[in-house]
Amino acid sequence: MENTSSLICTKVTPFSLTLANKKFISSLRPSNKHIDCKLALKNSGAQKSFKTQWNIPLNTSSSCSTVFNLSPNSVTSRFVIQCSSYSDVKTSLGSPNPVIIALKNVSFESLKSTLLNLTPFEVCKWSLAFSIAVAASKWTINVLFSPFFWMYFSWTWLFWPWMVAISLAIYGLYCFNRHLHGNANAFQQLSIVTAAFTWLTLVPPAHFNGFLEGWPIVFFFVYHYFFFFNVSVRKRLYGDYYPREHDPAWDITLPKWQKLLFCAGVMVGHWFAAFEGPELHLVPGGWSNLGIWILIMLTLFMQYHSTLYLAKYSEKVVVPTAVVLFGPYRFVRHPIYASTMLLFVTYFAAMRAPLSALFIVAVCIFYYGQKAKLEELMMVKTFGQMYTGYTSKVRYKFIPFVY
């Protein structure tokens, strides 16, 4: 009796064969090829199992092997076989790299023939190009290793850094306008922050000193790390950096003129600190700066834990669900505002500008004092005696034992 089976092959489908005694013919329909296969049958109870070795007389070397299990009552069976082909292996490896082929073809004779075929014009052209490349490399190395390039009265700040700073400020204002309309993406929001911190920490000391070193560069990165704590909490809770919908009553804001006055005061304070402080190369180093590093760590610690505790007892990071009594809230009622004020004071202390520090403290107390007053009214309205009891216990808003 003749059984017909249909095989599914990973390389060629459909794959059909016809069994006849101990020999059958297989057909690869897409390529219209025929394969002669020898069959060895082995009886095993109610089933027949046989193993085949495929010898495919095609143009490429291929081989397939499989084990079939056929039931005596079944006429048609479907099974999977695996095929290997040397041509497929060669194809999967890809064609050789043309650069490698070109290098292999390079020989002394080919190089000699190329040089003999050069014209005087081509010799002059390549000699001139080589000379320009050597001169440009030498000039670049001399400039990069020149102290005058990096230090006093360097033209690097007199020319292109101003262009970079101004371009960054213009792009930051453009991104800020998009942010006001709700169209700024994550990169544009980062550009706003970077442009602001550049004009706070880098541009003023570079303008008054002619170069940059030390604390301005450190605080440029500290400012970034500090002001991204809030968005990092959103990322941790929700998986992205965007604020969620919440009760708009908790969006406590001050009039625009007060916001602009605060931003102007912060900018003026940083520029005045760069003017008041000594030249950057005269700022002492070593152990004299240990207190600055302690203030930086204290500022970051206060900001992080204040934001973390507030997020745990707030709905969508904005609306509080309880009166927070833990962490920095045990010492001051508004530790996030206090940490921002402390960050500015730490920068001015690093720049050795005490008058600027007093000025920025006055600016922050004026602005944050107005905002904290509105927030406390909302807290009393929401939590009543629970919050009034907290205010009687923690009497200071921003500065422990002072204010």
Side-chain angles (χ1 to χ4, degrees), residues 308-325:
L308 184 63
Y309 279 113
L310 186 63
K312 286 183 177 181
Y313 295 94
S314 298
E315 180 184 359
K316 301 173 182 176
V317 195
V318 178
V319 181
T321 57
V323 178
V324 182
L325 305 174

Side-chain angles (χ1 to χ4, degrees), residues 168-186:
L168 185 60
I170 294 174
Y171 184 69
L173 292 175
Y174 165 75
C175 296
F176 183 70
N177 182 60
R178 291 181 59 87
H179 176 69
L180 292 178
H181 293 84
N183 299 325
N185 54 32

Side-chain angles (χ1 to χ4, degrees), residues 18 39 116 173 204 368 397:
T18 302
L39 176 63
L116 291 176
L173 292 175
Y368 289 135
K397 290 184 178 181

Side-chain angles (χ1 to χ4, degrees), residues 160-350:
W160 67 263
W162 270 114
M163 297 299 177
V164 172
I166 293 173
S167 301
L168 185 60
I170 294 174
Y171 184 69
L173 292 175
Y174 165 75
C175 296
F176 183 70
N177 182 60
R178 291 181 59 87
H179 176 69
L180 292 178
H181 293 84
N183 299 325
N185 54 32
F187 176 79
Q188 291 173 339
Q189 295 180 32
L190 177 62
S191 301
I192 298 171
V193 176
T194 302
F197 294 159
T198 299
W199 280 84
L200 287 177
T201 60
L202 298 183
V203 176
H207 173 71
F208 290 110
N209 291 270
F211 67 100
L212 280 174
E213 69 174 14
W215 286 118
I217 300 175
V218 172
F219 276 92
F220 175 76
F221 294 102
V222 171
Y223 275 35
H224 277 82
Y225 188 64
F226 179 88
F227 283 97
F228 274 99
F229 275 141
N230 289 331
V231 293
S232 64
V233 170
R234 291 195 185 102
K235 178 69 175 180
R236 180 177 177 179
L237 295 179
Y238 310 126
D240 57 52
Y241 300 102
Y242 301 101
R244 294 307 193 268
E245 294 182 0
H246 56 274
D247 187 0
W250 287 97
D251 290 332
I252 300 174
T253 59
L254 297 178
K256 290 184 179 180
W257 69 270
Q258 292 188 10
K259 294 180 180 179
L260 293 176
L261 189 62
F262 173 72
C263 294
V266 171
M267 182 65 70
V268 170
H270 282 75
W271 278 82
F272 186 60
F275 172 77
E276 177 190 359
E279 296 181 1
L280 293 178
H281 72 283
L282 297 178
V283 175
W287 288 101
S288 61
N289 291 315
L290 178 62
I292 304 298
W293 287 109
I294 293 175
L295 289 177
I296 291 176
M297 299 304 297
L298 178 62
T299 301
L300 296 177
F301 179 85
M302 182 184 298
Q303 171 74 357
Y304 176 76
H305 283 81
S306 301
T307 305
L308 184 63
Y309 279 113
L310 186 63
K312 286 183 177 181
Y313 295 94
S314 298
E315 180 184 359
K316 301 173 182 176
V317 195
V318 178
V319 181
T321 57
V323 178
V324 182
L325 305 174
F326 309 101
Y329 290 91
R330 293 176 297 173
F331 307 103
V332 291
R333 299 201 297 267
H334 303 277
I336 294 179
Y337 298 154
S339 62
T340 305
M341 187 188 312
L342 182 59
L343 176 66
F344 293 151
V345 171
T346 304
Y347 173 76
F348 296 152

Side-chain angles (χ1 to χ4, degrees), residues 33 56-62 85-87:
K33 300 288 183 179
I56 307 176
L58 303 178
N59 293 331
T60 59
S61 299
S62 304
S85 172
Y86 298 115
S87 62

Side-chain angles (χ1 to χ4, degrees), residues 24-77:
F24 58 84
I25 298 176
S26 302
S27 174
L28 282 72
R29 294 183 184 176
S31 58
N32 197 19
K33 300 288 183 179
H34 292 277
I35 310 171
D36 293 333
C37 303
K38 292 185 179 180
L39 176 63
L41 296 178
K42 180 181 178 182
N43 293 328
S44 176
Q47 293 186 345
K48 292 182 179 180
S49 63
F50 53 88
K51 181 182 290 187
T52 62
Q53 181 68 33
W54 305 73
N55 297 318
I56 307 176
L58 303 178
N59 293 331
T60 59
S61 299
S62 304
S63 63
C64 302
S65 63
T66 185
V67 176
F68 306 144
N69 291 322
L70 299 178
S71 175
N73 298 327
S74 63
V75 177
T76 302
S77 301

